[in-house]
Amino acid sequence: LMTHFFFQGREEESNNKKETLKVITEICRTTAYSHLDDFRPTDKGFNIIFTGEKSIPHYTIAIDPRYWAKKFDLQYKGKQTQKALSDVFHKLIFIRIDEQGRYKIFKADDVGGLVKGNTIDEYFGKDEKAQQEARKLGVRYYKYMIMKLPGDS
């Protein structure tokens, strides 16, 4: 399987079949969290997130999968179960563009009770320093390019 992505043309070639690479640019409310906000390091499942993966500081983000599924017309297989919603995560790439035009890629692997709509909650880490940095960030608004990978929707 050979896959090529062309960001400018927004076109993808996969298995000799051309598909459109859907890209949305959106200003998103951005917040931050650390695991110390919700857990103690001795808790069972500490550092394990919604998709069952381990969170990675400044790479893992929490999103509202229902919002993004609707935005990209992603279909669930069956009910809106944890498995069906986590499938949404693996079809989307989030790229933040800061004020200086620098890009940063994030992996959506988590959800949060307060993460609704186009809010993106960035994971900062699991120690006290990370918790302080997350709180210092507060709420900011960044431009993101969100891409749906071609394939089954």
Side-chain angles (χ1 to χ4, degrees), residues 102-121:
R102 295 177 299 209
Y103 290 76
K104 178 148 177 45
I105 296 174
F106 293 94
K107 183 177 181 194
D109 263 339
D110 206 0
V111 297
L114 299 176
V115 179
K116 301 293 182 217
N118 75 345
T119 295
I120 293 176
D121 202 14

Side-chain angles (χ1 to χ4, degrees), residues 8 10 21 23-24 31-32 35 42 47 51 53 56 60 70 73-74 77 80 87 104 115 117 136 145 147-148:
Q8 295 297 326
R10 296 190 175 123
L21 175 65
V23 178
I24 292 175
T31 56
H35 281 308
T42 55
N47 205 35
T51 57
E53 303 287 328
I56 302 168
T60 299
K70 197 176 282 189
D73 298 321
L74 294 172
K77 294 176 184 165
Q80 291 185 6
D87 286 345
K104 178 148 177 45
V115 179
K136 184 179 173 182
M145 278 189 342
M147 294 183 283
K148 177 199 168 281

Side-chain angles (χ1 to χ4, degrees), residues 3 5 21-22 49-54 56 59-61 63-66 68-69 72 74-77 81-94 105-111 146-153:
T3 303
F5 291 101
L21 175 65
K22 186 170 181 180
I49 49 183
F50 181 80
T51 57
E53 303 287 328
K54 285 193 174 195
I56 302 168
Y59 180 65
T60 299
I61 57 174
I63 63 167
D64 177 353
R66 289 173 181 88
W68 295 106
F72 284 95
L74 294 172
Q75 304 298 314
Y76 299 121
K77 294 176 184 165
T81 62
Q82 181 172 346
K83 166 76 172 97
L85 290 175
S86 67
D87 286 345
V88 171
F89 291 114
H90 302 293
K91 293 183 174 97
L92 301 175
I93 296 173
F94 289 77
I105 296 174
F106 293 94
K107 183 177 181 194
D109 263 339
D110 206 0
V111 297
I146 304 95
M147 294 183 283
K148 177 199 168 281
L149 298 174
D152 296 338
S153 50

Side-chain angles (χ1 to χ4, degrees), residues 33-36 38-57 60 109-110 123-127:
Y33 72 104
S34 77
H35 281 308
L36 287 182
D38 302 317
F39 303 103
R40 292 182 307 278
T42 55
D43 288 347
K44 184 179 181 183
F46 180 71
N47 205 35
I48 303 296
I49 49 183
F50 181 80
T51 57
E53 303 287 328
K54 285 193 174 195
S55 46
I56 302 168
T60 299
D109 263 339
D110 206 0
Y123 174 65
F124 270 54
K126 58 183 179 180
D127 57 21

